[in-house]
Amino acid sequence: MRRIILSALVVLAASSAVSADWPMWGGTPSRNMVSDMKGLPTTWDVKTGKNVKWVAELGSQSYGNPTVAEGVVMIGTNNEAMKDPKQPGDRGVLMAFNEQTGEFMWQATFEKLSSGRANDWPYQGIASSPTVVRGIAYFTSNRGQIIAADLKGFHDGVNNGPYKDEKLTGKTDIDIIWIFDMMEEVGTFPHNLANCSPVIDGGLLYCSTGNGQDESHVNIPSPKAPSIIAVEIESGKLKWEDNSVGERILHGQWSTPAVGDIGGVRQVVHAQGDGWVRGYEAQSGKKLWEFDTNPKDSVWPKTRNEVISTPVIYENLVYISNGQDPEHGEGVGHAYAIDATKRGDITQTGMIWHFDKIRRSISTAAIKDGLIYLADFSGFLHCLDLKTGKPYWTHDMFAAIWGSPMIIDNKVYLGDEDGDISVIEHGKTFKLLSEQNMGSSVYATAVPANGKLFIMNRNQLYALQEGAQLKK
Ligand SMILES: [Ca+2]
Ligand SMILES: [Ca+2]
């Protein structure tokens, strides 16, 4: 019953062309990067302030993506824009801003793990996008914890939730509801950074643990720790876990799960550290299928890839691209459409199409009207036929792409490492509508919410709105 109500709400939100939040990475649990919001700017100028409603200063490196819910914008960054002298030094930071004004509301800061860069890379901050459900934000800290936090923080003067041990309870401090420490509770050893953007469905939160190799890039310190866990959102208690990967982790595990109905079964889909994608019955955790995204003769790290992008669930199929840590540079990649109604090892039986012209990719797909957009780390945006995987066009951005294409109304927005945002007409024929520079590298995805477009570069968050003028 609850699921039916939630689905109805999602339909309502999707049909609301102006006032719709963006309460999680991908907007909905299926993670398709699409919105039918109308009236968002297609041109703006961060130098003159044209169509800029507000701008907020972030830390020096920001790898999260904005989440917008219930009047609050949240974003992961580091502590180089220190807001509180009582919380100094290198930390992972989640900042919350007032959606209308950009006013800083509260922050969560987490000291770096004492084990250092093997688990918690210096200055990378928080790279998880929170998921918001009924006034609570759920995200992953740089310390490998899943945190549930009151969206109002201590702004409301109330210490909410069973967790009451907050040391700082000022107006700009985080109000924690519960903490699930993945390193303590399930023994995970995150490689470089735990980054998962959790997804919530039917009272359960699904999260990738980030379990991986140690700094030797040979040893796996916790081969028995799960790749994915399900936690009850009310209690913060573990519901199920799965470790199908074991000793076969190629590197780390940085993909984030998706949830959707596939062939009448509610599934959670997760890409894991051996380069395989797996589907589970969402409530029980029963493994239903698995798919290898690498050719059998491929060799790590030259031709064999991990999966960092997020799977997208669309009309019973799963769409996914593989790739590698940006530190590894460019290389060959693969993208697939997978029939996730099949069971068992579906690498052959479930393959609808395979696109091997894509390069290594860490971007997530955007799908609309029988077209799929896929971006890669070599700087190409590919537009393919959704049914066949045959390309209609390819656009060269001339810089690495970290974020994902976002379809808003009938435009595709995409940023690159040079800080350029391209706005492209949605369709089988390529047409560039505009291009503008954000002043520094864009690692994130453009996010539509409530008539505004949120775009971050590595150290600033811009709220863009048609007709707005930022005073300079
Ligand atoms: Ca509170
Ligand atoms: Ca609390």
Side-chain angles (χ1 to χ4, degrees), residues 37 43 46 70 113 134 156 163 166 185 216 262 358 399:
M37 197 165 289
T43 62
V46 300
E70 302 174 32
L113 287 166
R134 289 188 292 279
D156 60 358
Y163 189 93
E166 293 92 344
E185 304 267 348
S216 72
I262 302 175
I358 194 169

Side-chain angles (χ1 to χ4, degrees), residues 44 421 438 442 446-447 453-457 460-462 464:
W44 59 89
I421 302 279
M438 298 304 295
V442 173
V447 162
L453 184 62
F454 294 90
I455 298 184
M456 54 188 279
N457 60 26
Q460 293 167 308
L461 170 63
Y462 282 90
L464 307 171

Side-chain angles (χ1 to χ4, degrees), residues 159-160 163 166 175-176:
N159 189 342
N160 297 87
Y163 189 93
E166 293 92 344
D175 177 2
I176 295 171

Side-chain angles (χ1 to χ4, degrees), residues 150 152-160 175:
D150 176 16
K152 295 194 176 74
F154 279 104
H155 241 60
D156 60 358
V158 179
N159 189 342
N160 297 87
D175 177 2

Side-chain angles (χ1 to χ4, degrees), residues 14-50:
S15 65
S16 171
V18 176
S19 59
D21 281 343
W22 191 261
M24 71 191 81
W25 166 238
T28 67
S30 72
R31 310 292 201 179
N32 186 16
M33 299 291 160
V34 64
S35 162
D36 62 1
M37 197 165 289
K38 295 189 189 336
L40 298 189
T42 54
T43 62
W44 59 89
D45 190 332
V46 300
K47 287 204 178 102
T48 66
K50 179 199 161 198

Side-chain angles (χ1 to χ4, degrees), residues 70-349:
E70 302 174 32
V72 180
V73 184
M74 280 164 291
I75 203 145
T77 184
N78 68 17
N79 201 31
E80 293 301 283
M82 189 177 63
K83 300 280 188 192
D84 179 2
K86 291 197 294 292
Q87 302 172 65
D90 187 13
R91 293 171 184 239
V93 179
L94 183 86
M95 290 184 184
F97 300 94
N98 180 305
E99 185 197 326
Q100 292 306 322
T101 62
E103 174 206 2
F104 172 69
M105 291 176 64
W106 57 267
Q107 66 173 353
T109 81
F110 302 87
E111 290 178 18
K112 301 298 276 186
L113 287 166
S114 55
S115 49
R117 61 179 54 204
N119 296 132
D120 189 0
W121 199 265
Y123 298 103
Q124 273 200 341
I126 286 177
S128 163
S129 303
T131 292
V132 178
V133 175
R134 289 188 292 279
I136 299 176
Y138 303 82
F139 63 97
T140 307
S141 80
N142 52 298
R143 299 179 67 84
Q145 306 152 310
I146 304 168
I147 308 281
D150 176 16
L151 199 58
K152 295 194 176 74
F154 279 104
H155 241 60
D156 60 358
V158 179
N159 189 342
N160 297 87
Y163 189 93
K164 305 287 186 199
D165 295 337
E166 293 92 344
K167 291 191 182 70
L168 300 166
T169 57
K171 276 197 90 166
T172 59
D173 292 315
I174 182 175
D175 177 2
I176 295 171
I177 305 290
W178 53 253
I179 297 176
F180 185 94
D181 190 320
M182 293 189 282
M183 295 179 77
E184 274 181 20
E185 304 267 348
V186 295
T188 178
F189 185 96
H191 183 83
N192 294 358
L193 190 67
N195 70 325
C196 181
S197 302
V199 58
I200 291 174
D201 184 77
L204 294 180
L205 174 149
Y206 303 98
C207 192
S208 172
T209 63
N211 193 44
Q213 297 174 331
D214 66 12
E215 243 184 320
S216 72
H217 287 100
V218 177
N219 302 319
I220 295 168
S222 299
K224 292 193 165 58
S227 298
I228 183 169
I229 59 173
V231 173
E232 296 171 355
I233 57 167
E234 293 297 335
S235 65
K237 296 278 185 295
L238 185 70
K239 174 77 181 287
W240 60 259
E241 59 182 284
D242 184 74
N243 175 18
S244 294
V245 179
E247 310 252 3
R248 293 185 305 279
I249 299 172
L250 297 164
H251 188 201
Q253 304 197 77
W254 295 298
S255 183
T256 250
V259 175
D261 282 318
I262 302 175
V265 178
R266 200 72 176 163
Q267 290 194 26
V268 53
V269 177
H270 185 219
Q272 301 178 345
D274 53 356
W276 289 61
V277 186
R278 295 185 170 86
Y280 303 86
E281 195 177 77
Q283 283 292 319
S284 68
K286 180 189 172 198
K287 188 166 69 185
L288 301 174
W289 58 267
E290 50 195 340
F291 182 98
D292 188 359
T293 69
N294 286 292
K296 295 300 179 194
D297 60 354
S298 58
V299 180
W300 171 265
K302 197 167 171 20
T303 54
R304 194 168 190 81
N305 286 337
E306 52 193 322
V307 191
I308 296 175
S309 67
T310 303
V312 170
I313 300 170
Y314 187 86
E315 293 180 350
N316 294 328
L317 302 191
V318 170
Y319 298 87
I320 189 87
S321 307
N322 71 15
Q324 290 188 30
D325 178 350
E327 294 265 321
H328 292 194
E330 298 176 39
V332 296
H334 302 274
Y336 299 92
I338 302 167
D339 179 357
T341 63
K342 299 281 200 302
R343 295 293 180 262
D345 180 345
I346 64 169
T347 306
Q348 287 176 351
T349 57

